[in-house]
Amino acid sequence: MEKKDYDVNEIKDDKQFEKERHKKSKEKRKIGKATKFVIALSVLGVVVIGILVAPTLVKHYFGEPETQLTSIIVKEELKAIQETSVYKYDYTKVEKFKNSRKFPWGWNIPFTEKEIEIAYNGQIKVFFDLSKCKETISDKKVTIMLPPFKISHSIEGEIVEEDNNILNPIELKDEEGIRDALKIRMEKRAIDKGVFDKGKKSAKQAIESVLGPHLKEGQVLVIDQSSKALQEEAAYIKKIKKKESDTPLEEVE
């Protein structure tokens, strides 16, 4: 069998060729991976930008996203403002009262006069039980019907000066009577100052502030009271105006 002779230089050239080809192939693979990585980053960047920009575009072209107003939302919002919707009328006064024993026919008995000076402060709260509101919701209008208002009245007093009389001593019932008389007077004064009307206005503003943002475009909010509720309020105010104190003490002008 005939042996084939190989040229040493030729073998070296072949090895060099394979080595360079392998190197170029490896470089191409690196370039391919780098290209894919850049493309992936670009796609990810587009997605992130889209997520960030989309809400702004939606807001710009379609307006603010709206939460549809439902009875559940109305009740939750009204419950949240029950305390903050209360209107408070605070007052501080110093008053003097006097009293004398009387004859059966109504004249004062001489030398039996006593006098008390009392400093007092109080607070009248006007509010609505918002859990009893009735709501009607349509595409064009949201109506809230308020119940009759309520009031709570707290008062504290302290005697700062007294002119006692051994023939007509100051008693605990005198202090209690003065406190009752002051409550009645301040409730009447609150009516004259429009405190109850201010309380209703305060409640309506509080309701508007929490329900207004939920209204759709073209939808209006109406806050009203039934004729029955208004009649109950009128009867209550009339009752306050007719109140009279049982205290025998007379106010000193």
Side-chain angles (χ1 to χ4, degrees):
M1 187 174 181
E2 186 177 356
K3 289 185 180 180
K4 189 176 181 180
D5 296 326
Y6 292 95
D7 189 350
V8 175
N9 293 327
E10 185 179 346
I11 293 173
K12 288 182 179 179
D13 290 340
D14 289 342
K15 287 183 178 181
Q16 184 66 29
F17 174 80
E18 286 295 329
K19 186 176 181 180
E20 289 178 357
R21 189 173 66 83
H22 179 71
K23 182 178 180 182
K24 289 181 180 179
S25 177
K26 191 175 181 180
E27 289 175 350
K28 286 182 179 180
R29 285 198 298 271
K30 286 183 178 179
I31 293 172
K33 288 181 180 180
T35 303
K36 290 179 181 180
F37 180 73
V38 171
I39 293 173
L41 282 179
S42 301
V43 172
L44 181 60
V46 171
V47 172
V48 171
I49 292 172
I51 293 173
L52 295 175
V53 173
T56 304
L57 294 176
V58 170
K59 178 179 176 181
H60 177 74
Y61 290 104
F62 302 100
E64 291 281 359
E66 297 173 348
T67 301
Q68 186 176 2
L69 199 58
T70 64
S71 293
I72 294 176
I73 292 177
V74 169
K75 293 183 186 302
E76 288 178 347
E77 294 286 14
L78 295 184
K79 182 179 179 181
I81 61 168
Q82 178 62 68
E83 293 300 323
T84 56
S85 65
V86 176
Y87 182 80
K88 299 174 183 177
Y89 172 61
D90 297 294
Y91 59 87
T92 300
K93 298 286 181 182
V94 177
E95 302 281 5
K96 286 184 178 181
F97 294 84
K98 67 179 180 179
N99 169 258
S100 296
R101 290 189 180 277
K102 297 182 182 295
F103 290 110
W105 51 86
W107 292 1
N108 290 338
I109 299 175
F111 310 112
T112 62
E113 183 177 275
K114 62 184 175 183
E115 188 172 302
I116 300 175
E117 182 176 351
I118 184 170
Y120 61 94
N121 58 77
Q123 184 181 79
I124 296 175
K125 294 181 179 180
V126 183
F127 62 96
F128 292 89
D129 183 353
L130 299 182
S131 66
K132 294 184 178 179
C133 288
K134 295 182 179 179
E135 70 282 347
T136 304
I137 302 173
S138 67
D139 291 337
K140 298 295 183 181
K141 183 168 64 174
V142 177
T143 303
I144 305 296
M145 299 299 287
L146 295 172
F149 67 69
K150 294 183 177 183
I151 76 164
S152 67
H153 190 177
S154 60
I155 183 172
E156 294 180 356
E158 180 183 2
I159 294 178
V160 293
E161 187 176 341
E162 59 184 44
D163 184 5
N164 211 340
N165 191 314
I166 192 171
L167 299 176
N168 185 18
I170 295 173
E171 301 174 346
L172 178 61
K173 66 179 182 179
D174 294 327
E175 296 181 41
E176 294 174 346
I178 291 173
R179 188 173 289 106
D180 291 340
L182 292 174
K183 285 188 73 171
I184 292 172
R185 183 188 305 165
M186 292 311 300
E187 287 176 9
K188 291 180 178 181
R189 191 171 296 175
I191 293 173
D192 295 336
K193 287 181 173 289
V195 170
F196 298 132
D197 291 332
K198 292 176 182 177
K200 295 173 75 170
K201 182 179 179 180
S202 175
K204 289 181 178 181
Q205 289 175 339
I207 293 172
E208 289 171 352
S209 68
V210 294
L211 297 186
H214 293 286
L215 297 176
K216 298 185 294 186
E217 185 177 353
Q219 196 176 40
V220 296
L221 176 63
V222 177
I223 304 172
D224 205 351
Q225 286 181 285
S226 67
S227 57
K228 182 179 179 181
L230 293 173
Q231 288 171 3
E232 288 185 26
E233 289 181 356
Y236 184 76
I237 290 175
K238 187 176 181 181
K239 182 180 179 181
I240 292 175
K241 288 181 176 180
K242 286 185 175 181
K243 278 184 179 180
E244 296 294 340
S245 172
D246 295 328
T247 180
L249 295 170
E250 301 171 1
E251 183 181 2
V252 178
E253 298 294 342

